[in-house]
Amino acid sequence: MAGGIFSPLGSYSELEKANCHPLVCLLCHEPYQHPCLLDCYHNFCASCLRGRASDGRLRCPLCGHPSVVRGGTGLPPVDRLLQFLVDSSADSEEDVQCANCDRCCTKAEMDTMYFCNTCGQPLCAPCREETHRARMFTCHEIVSLSKRTKDIHKKCPLHEEPYIMFSTEKKSMLCINCFRDMQGESRAHCIDIETAYMQGCQRLDQAVMAVKELQTSTREAIVLLKAMIEEVRNSASEEEAAINSLFSQMQEQLSDRKKTLLKAVQSQHEEKEKAFKEQLAHLASLLPTLQVHLVTCSAFLSSANKAEFLDLGYQLMERLQRIVKLPHRLRPAQTSKINSEYRAEFARCLEPLLMLSPRRSIVGSAGGIGPGITGTNMLPGGQCSKTLMVPSCPPASDKMSTGPMVKKPTMHRYISTKVLLAEGRETPFAEHCRNYENTYRMLQTEIQGLKDQVQELHRDLTKHHSLIKSEIMSEILQKSLQMDVQIAAHYSAVEMMRSVFEEVWEETYQRVANEQEIYEAQLHDLLQLRQENSCLSTITKQIAPYVRSIAKVKERLEPR
């Protein structure tokens, strides 16, 4: 089948679900047919890879790593090692018949079959004991059927002679003729087949150990990454919940403050409107009085003679002066601007939510994660210990029992602490975290020992129905009380550090706030300078024509 019809594996989760047999292709899910080895050390059938190469490169369907393809076939080289395993597997599935008694063995009896490399024939266990124990067969090489030597591996294909040596320089087997044709320097790197086999096994064991270490590290990295992915998912959920909660609280606060501000605006509006209406009524009543007296003055001047003027004129003038000197509110006593300072009020109502809200506490009352699972059930590596799950007991200390509940489990704290310490910053809180982790591990180990003892007692009671000494229970209870005292003391010591850390956190917050204020002021100053420079440029452009005109006039007048 052409390889182009297969789609690449979408993710490693599909690989986990797929058949991971070492001799089965991950694309066609069939035993390998001419397995090819890519540069990323992934194997696929030649038919599955055919047609996938482009411009001399072939991308791995599993990891996407590009491999250079040479030759006109468009395929990577055949994996001889995997092909050998496939052929060996196919040979093991064939029916084997004893060469002596013609007895056919089943697949279950394959492990009991033998093979004589000298005769080149398979033997069953009875025939091996009865026939090949004779003196004439003492020089025959008899091995298990799975380790039989094939003809292709016995003789040199060039000289048709049996292999007797191995070159550690060329990593190839040699017959007597190949050994004679070699130069003297190369012969020094030749050893016998048995020694080469032993050395090869030792080196293979070393390589296997290195791969096993890499496998262990890879699994640990996968566990850590899965934990980090879960942590990212939980953190995103917590952040979304916090955002929604904060937004709801902000909406409530803003809604309440909005009602208060609208009432204040309405109150100011009513007060100012009342004051302006009173002043308007006073001025409206003053205007007819002034009009009447002006008309009176005009009529008096036109109708009174000198004697009448001197008799009544000064009285009229005094009246007019008294009218002018009366306190008349001609100017508004207050501005028409209604100022509620709503921006400052809105910011002030949001300050407790945005600035002064306390951090979410990660200190727990008893290290509990959930019903029946406590913080000590979680190992530092993130693995749950297989111990007896008992409901969390209330602590002896009232202070601990009334403390805030745990919002983040032990695994979250362990990862966060590990990241904090990996940053390498020497701060009081980092030093406190190091001391805390050491003490916590010691307490965790003690609690784990008590759990193991209780689990054994519980198993003995439920399964074996054996008698248990009361002294053991007394010792466990005594140790439990001692551990409770130690945990309470450690909790109190950690709680005493709260004020110190809160002071440091407050100083950090104030420093950040000051830096933000300075930064905004710097931007404001630069914008102000830019605005002043723009005004100067505008003025210069406006007076430039007049300056040039005066300069031309001055040039004309200077010769005169």
Side-chain angles (χ1 to χ4, degrees):
M1 298 176 67
I5 65 173
F6 297 103
S7 60
L9 293 178
S11 63
Y12 287 98
S13 61
E14 297 182 10
L15 176 61
E16 294 178 358
K17 298 177 181 178
N19 187 0
C20 293
H21 193 279
L23 301 182
V24 173
C25 178
L26 292 173
L27 288 180
C28 63
H29 305 295
E30 296 291 339
Y32 282 112
Q33 298 291 334
H34 306 290
C36 297
L37 179 64
L38 301 180
D39 294 345
C40 56
Y41 296 99
H42 288 136
N43 295 93
F44 300 97
C45 296
S47 59
C48 296
L49 295 179
R50 187 171 289 111
R52 290 178 176 265
S54 176
D55 298 332
R57 291 183 176 273
L58 191 151
R59 288 192 171 273
C60 177
L62 182 60
C63 65
H65 186 275
S67 299
V68 179
V69 179
R70 296 179 178 86
T73 61
L75 293 174
V78 176
D79 190 351
R80 294 180 57 232
L81 176 61
L82 190 57
Q83 185 66 51
F84 168 76
L85 296 177
V86 172
D87 295 341
S88 300
S89 176
D91 292 342
S92 64
E93 293 179 358
E94 296 177 357
D95 294 335
V96 179
Q97 185 177 9
C98 178
N100 188 46
C101 65
D102 296 334
R103 176 174 172 266
C104 293
C105 67
T106 61
K107 294 182 179 180
E109 298 175 344
M110 285 293 186
D111 295 337
T112 62
M113 291 293 292
Y114 296 91
F115 190 85
C116 180
N117 287 328
T118 306
C119 300
Q121 298 291 340
L123 295 172
C124 62
C127 291
R128 177 182 180 273
E129 297 294 334
E130 296 173 0
T131 61
H132 267 61
R133 289 294 184 184
R135 184 177 298 178
M136 61 180 297
F137 298 114
T138 55
C139 296
H140 287 212
E141 182 185 3
I142 301 175
V143 296
S144 62
L145 184 64
S146 61
K147 294 186 177 181
R148 63 178 175 176
T149 304
K150 298 183 179 180
D151 293 337
I152 192 174
H153 294 145
K154 284 183 179 181
K155 296 182 180 181
C156 173
L158 182 62
H159 303 106
E160 294 295 331
E161 293 290 337
Y163 290 119
I164 60 172
M165 304 290 286
F166 180 81
S167 174
T168 58
E169 181 183 14
K170 297 182 178 180
K171 301 295 186 298
S172 61
M173 292 185 292
L174 307 172
C175 67
I176 185 63
N177 294 329
C178 295
F179 181 75
R180 289 173 182 174
D181 296 340
M182 293 180 67
Q183 298 180 359
E185 296 178 356
S186 300
R187 290 183 180 182
H189 299 282
C190 295
I191 57 178
D192 61 279
I193 296 293
E194 190 66 24
T195 305
Y197 175 73
M198 297 299 296
Q199 293 181 359
C201 290
Q202 293 177 359
R203 292 185 179 181
L204 181 61
D205 290 340
Q206 295 176 359
V208 168
M209 291 301 297
V211 172
K212 284 184 177 180
E213 292 179 0
L214 178 60
Q215 183 187 37
T216 303
S217 302
T218 303
R219 287 175 176 173
E220 292 178 353
I222 289 175
V223 171
L224 179 59
L225 288 176
K226 286 183 178 180
M228 294 298 291
I229 291 174
E230 185 66 23
E231 182 65 23
V232 168
R233 187 181 296 109
N234 295 336
S235 179
S237 300
E238 292 180 3
E239 201 69 15
E240 291 176 359
I243 291 174
N244 293 329
S245 176
L246 179 60
F247 184 71
S248 300
Q249 295 178 12
M250 290 172 63
Q251 282 184 321
E252 294 177 1
Q253 293 286 346
L254 291 175
S255 178
D256 296 341
R257 191 57 56 95
K258 171 189 172 183
K259 295 178 181 179
T260 304
L261 290 174
L262 291 178
K263 290 181 179 179
V265 169
Q266 186 64 26
S267 177
Q268 290 187 31
H269 170 254
E270 293 176 356
E271 292 179 359
K272 289 180 179 293
E273 186 178 21
K274 181 180 178 181
F276 288 150
K277 286 183 177 180
E278 290 178 355
Q279 188 175 1
L280 180 62
H282 170 73
L283 296 179
S285 61
L286 176 63
L287 191 60
T289 303
L290 298 178
Q291 185 68 24
V292 167
H293 282 80
L294 289 176
V295 173
T296 302
C297 289
S298 178
F300 178 73
L301 290 175
S302 60
S303 60
N305 54 23
K306 295 180 179 179
E308 292 173 344
F309 180 83
L310 295 175
D311 184 25
L312 300 175
Y314 286 97
Q315 183 179 357
L316 179 60
M317 285 185 284
E318 290 178 0
R319 181 184 295 182
L320 295 177
Q321 289 176 358
R322 285 197 296 269
I323 291 175
V324 172
K325 290 180 180 180
L326 288 175
H328 303 295
R329 293 179 295 173
L330 301 178
R331 293 187 176 181
Q334 52 188 342
T335 63
S336 60
K337 180 68 175 178
I338 295 180
N339 185 15
S340 62
E341 296 186 358
Y342 58 92
R343 289 188 176 88
E345 290 296 327
F346 284 141
R348 194 174 294 114
C349 78
L350 295 179
E351 277 183 3
L353 299 176
L354 300 179
M355 302 293 183
L356 304 179
S357 60
R359 292 283 184 177
R360 287 178 290 182
S361 175
I362 61 173
V363 180
S365 60
I369 299 175
I373 302 178
T374 60
T376 53
N377 293 112
M378 192 71 69
L379 297 178
Q383 300 175 352
C384 293
S385 60
K386 298 179 180 179
T387 57
L388 180 64
M389 300 298 182
V390 296
S392 301
C393 299
S397 174
D398 293 337
K399 183 176 182 179
M400 293 175 65
S401 61
T402 56
M405 294 300 294
V406 169
K407 291 188 178 180
K408 296 181 180 178
T410 301
M411 185 59 190
H412 183 109
R413 177 193 58 76
Y414 174 74
I415 295 176
S416 301
T417 304
K418 195 172 183 179
V419 173
L420 175 64
L421 296 179
E423 293 177 354
R425 292 185 296 179
E426 296 296 334
T427 60
F429 188 74
E431 184 64 24
H432 159 74
C433 288
R434 291 192 188 94
N435 299 333
Y436 174 86
E437 287 299 323
N438 295 332
T439 307
Y440 180 79
R441 290 194 187 97
M442 181 186 66
L443 296 175
Q444 189 181 39
T445 303
E446 296 290 339
I447 293 294
Q448 188 62 44
L450 292 177
K451 281 189 173 184
D452 293 340
Q453 294 181 13
V454 173
Q455 186 180 20
E456 292 179 2
L457 296 177
H458 184 267
R459 184 179 62 249
D460 292 339
L461 284 174
T462 55
K463 291 186 178 181
H464 305 295
H465 301 285
S466 59
L467 296 177
I468 300 175
K469 296 181 181 180
S470 59
E471 295 81 1
I472 299 178
M473 296 299 301
S474 301
E475 291 178 1
I476 294 176
L477 291 176
Q478 185 66 24
K479 289 181 181 179
S480 178
L481 293 175
Q482 293 177 359
M483 290 303 303
D484 190 67
V485 172
Q486 293 181 15
I487 295 173
H490 187 52
Y491 182 89
S492 301
V494 175
E495 183 68 25
M496 289 175 63
M497 299 294 293
R498 181 189 296 274
S499 59
V500 179
F501 294 139
E502 284 183 349
E503 184 177 354
V504 174
W505 296 331
E506 184 65 25
E507 291 177 357
T508 304
Y509 163 70
Q510 292 295 339
R511 177 178 57 80
V512 172
N514 293 335
E515 291 178 358
Q516 290 177 345
E517 185 177 356
I518 294 172
Y519 174 75
E520 295 295 337
Q522 291 172 350
L523 293 178
H524 179 268
D525 293 342
L526 290 175
L527 291 176
Q528 188 173 3
L529 286 177
R530 187 178 182 183
Q531 187 177 2
E532 292 178 359
N533 182 60
S534 178
C535 293
L536 289 176
S537 301
T538 304
I539 295 174
T540 304
K541 291 178 182 178
Q542 291 176 352
I543 65 176
Y546 301 99
V547 173
R548 287 194 291 267
S549 177
I550 294 174
K552 290 180 181 179
V553 174
K554 186 177 180 181
E555 289 177 357
R556 294 176 182 177
L557 295 179
E558 278 181 354
R560 300 180 184 178

